[in-house]
Each structure stands twice: as structure tokens, then as C-alpha cells.
Amino acid sequence: MEKSNLYSLGLNSGVAQEAALYKELHLARISVQHKELYMVITEQGELRAGLAGKLQFLGSGNGDYPAVGDWVMVDRLDNRGGHAIIQQRLPRSSVLVRRAAGTAYDSQVMAANIDVVFICMALNHDFNLRRLERYLSLVWDSRAKPVVVLTKADLCPELSGKLSEVYTVALGVDVLVTTAMEEDGYGGIRQYIAEGTTVAFIGSSGVGKSTLINRLLGSETLATGHIRADDRGRHTTTHRQLLLLPGGGMVIDTPGMRELQLANADLGASFADIEQLAGRCRFRDCSHDSEPGCAVQAAVREGTLAAGRLQNYVKLQHELSYQGLNSRQLEQEKTNRMFKEVGGRKQARDLGKQKQKRR
């Protein structure tokens, strides 16, 4: 195996100090996840790894399990005695979490320990400000830096108008315009990537994330789909993976999402304009609907705040409130199951002791 410099993979003093607490284990970073099988990078190179039974048992949900970008402690540095075993996940500096598909309760980690998240949105049929607000709320909550990347500029005849719309919702966020049709059409992305920096690309299916990453890699490493007759791209990425860039830094590619359900979000950062207006409302518990003295509704009437933005803000508030209730219900159910399992094992042990006495 080719040896790795873990500091070039984002290792810092905080992670190193945490790792030093586990004397018999070895530090590694997860590069690929396939269900319960992982690829991890250690100082001795990349190897396959499975998850220790204790981590599977103690995990209260998908969000607790190791994910791509996580720093973990493994029991070996090679696969000669079988797969390495991940014994411990170290604390995360940042984490992108969405609600898991097919459930109203559990969460799914998209990437961990990232510094910058590029939110990709195409300037053709994918353009959707309400979806962008949702993505921004997700990234602000992750503790990573959000950057909006507008792709397929060559397919947009009214670029200045679309940019103006984006600036109304991407408050305090850098906005980049890219096109795959020009050799330097992605150059602005590189300014955010340095040695030891981890970036992630997220966005809907077919917006051109893989094409941009291939430009950064300098090779066609990731599969890309051709544009269909309706100008929509094809979904190509099927799993998350961490890739080392030739100029330094790492990138995490994530599968495109047809919809993004939030597990957590920072609405205060993504809707800072509404939060500021809300502070001027006559009533502290104003719902911004029909109350007298509502500064938010006044801004809508004056045309300084888009009605659609307010509606989305209220919608996301309700969604997060509902998600919080369901999460507490799920935690209670899991706690109950755990105690039942422990009680069942105790009952089995007691029965075994009784049989031994009778013998």
C-alpha cells in the first residue's frame, strides 16, 4: 500500500489529540462507504474496514454511524488478517445531515469534517430559489462555509437576472458562475481549496457536480451524463467518496438528490433578513400571518421581501418542528427496544443459571 500523509488529508492538532487517547488503535479517515463496508486511509495507505459490533449496538440512528470524511480509530494498518475494524468515531468539526429517505424519523450523514460546501444549482431547468434556501439552511447548520455554484451558464440567456435573484436569498454567501464549455469555466472554485482543506459538492441530480470535480481532478475519474433533450442532466454519482486533489485538498462527491428533507437547519442564518424583520414585530410570538403590527408582512406589502421567501421560511419552520417531535418519539422507541433486549438477555442468563442448579 502507498503511504499517506494524514496532515494532507485534513488532520489537525485537535484530531491528533483525540486519537492519542486510544493507545492500541490507529488513526484513519473514511474515504468510501458502501452500506456497512468502508474504505479508510491510514498512514500506511488505504484498506477495507468493517464496523465494530459495539458501534452498531450503541448507535441511536444512522447519524451516529461513521460516514465519509469521518476520522476513526481502527485496529490494524493492513488487511492481511481480514478487514480492519472501526472501533471508534472521533468527534466531528462539521457534519452535513439530511433526513433519511423513506422515513420521517432517522437522519443520514452526507459528509463529515468538511470546510467548504459548494451548493450546485444549474441555470437552466434546475433553477429554484426555494430549493436553494433549503440547501443554504442545511449547510449553515453543518458549521461548514457555504458557497453557491451556478452551473451551465452557457444555457442561460438571462444570466444577470438570475444572479440578482440568487443574491436576494444567498445572504452573506459567495456566488460563483461556472460553465463546462470553457476551459477556465470552473477556475473560481480553486480559490477555496488548499492543502488539508476538505470540500463537498451537493445539489440536485444532473446539475454538473461530477463534471466540475473531474476538472479539479484533471481526469475523467467520475462518470458524467450527457444533457438530455430537455436540458436536464443525468444522475451519475451513486455513492459518497473522498478524493485527493492533485493540487492539494480533498473533495467529497455526493449523489444528487431529487428532494432534500431536512433533519436540522439554521434558519437564523439562511433567513437572516426575515429574522431581523421579526424583531420589529409588535408581538414577540408573531406568526407573520395576520397579526397587527407585523413588520414581516409589511415588508411583503412594500415589495422588499418576496412572498414566496416568507412562505418557504414558515414551511421550513413547521417541517423542523414536526421533525423534532418525530425524532423524540424515535429516540424513545429505540430506548425501549434497548431495554427490552437487555432485559431479554438477562432473563436468558437467569434461566441458564436455574438449569445449571437443577443439574
Side-chain angles (χ1 to χ4, degrees), residues 111-131:
N113 299 311
I114 57 266
D115 301 295
V116 178
V117 178
F118 295 111
I119 305 171
C120 298
M121 183 171 71
L123 284 162
N124 54 354
H125 292 302
D126 180 70
F127 191 82
N128 187 312
L129 294 179
R130 305 290 81 86
R131 188 192 305 125

Side-chain angles (χ1 to χ4, degrees), residues 62 113 133 150 160 181 241 265 288-289 348 350:
N62 291 334
N113 299 311
E133 290 167 342
L150 301 175
S160 60
M181 301 301 291
Q241 55 185 322
H288 317 307
D289 184 12
D350 292 343

Side-chain angles (χ1 to χ4, degrees), residues 8 32 59 108 115-116 170 179 185 207-208 309 333 350:
S8 69
V32 181
Q108 178 186 54
D115 301 295
V116 178
T179 172
V207 297
R309 180 164 170 78
E333 290 174 5
D350 292 343

Side-chain angles (χ1 to χ4, degrees), residues 67-111:
V68 172
D70 265 323
W71 288 101
V72 295
M73 304 304 299
V74 297
D75 65 344
R76 69 198 75 176
L77 292 173
D78 59 60
N79 287 138
R80 283 178 291 185
H83 292 173
I85 302 298
I86 297 173
Q87 299 285 355
Q88 185 69 38
R89 174 179 64 77
L90 299 185
R92 295 160 170 160
S93 61
S94 61
V95 58
L96 272 173
V97 182
R98 61 174 289 189
R99 191 195 306 174
T103 173
Y105 305 108
D106 215 345
S107 58
Q108 178 186 54
V109 175
M110 302 163 63

Side-chain angles (χ1 to χ4, degrees), residues 210-240:
S210 296
T211 298
L212 289 172
I213 294 174
N214 282 338
R215 290 292 182 91
L216 293 173
L217 291 168
S219 64
E220 296 299 310
T221 302
L222 304 179
T224 58
H226 297 294
I227 299 295
R228 303 191 314 225
D230 59 1
D231 284 345
R232 297 180 186 272
R234 299 180 187 276
H235 170 76
T236 50
T237 301
T238 58
H239 61 273
R240 296 165 186 83

Side-chain angles (χ1 to χ4, degrees), residues 121-123 149-156 159 176-189 207-209 211-213 215 227:
M121 183 171 71
L123 284 162
V149 178
L150 301 175
T151 66
K152 304 182 182 179
D154 51 295
L155 299 176
C156 180
L159 179 58
L176 304 178
V177 178
T178 67
T179 172
M181 301 301 291
E182 299 176 7
E183 191 62 31
D184 61 348
Y186 69 101
I189 292 175
V207 297
K209 300 189 304 298
T211 298
L212 289 172
I213 294 174
R215 290 292 182 91
I227 299 295

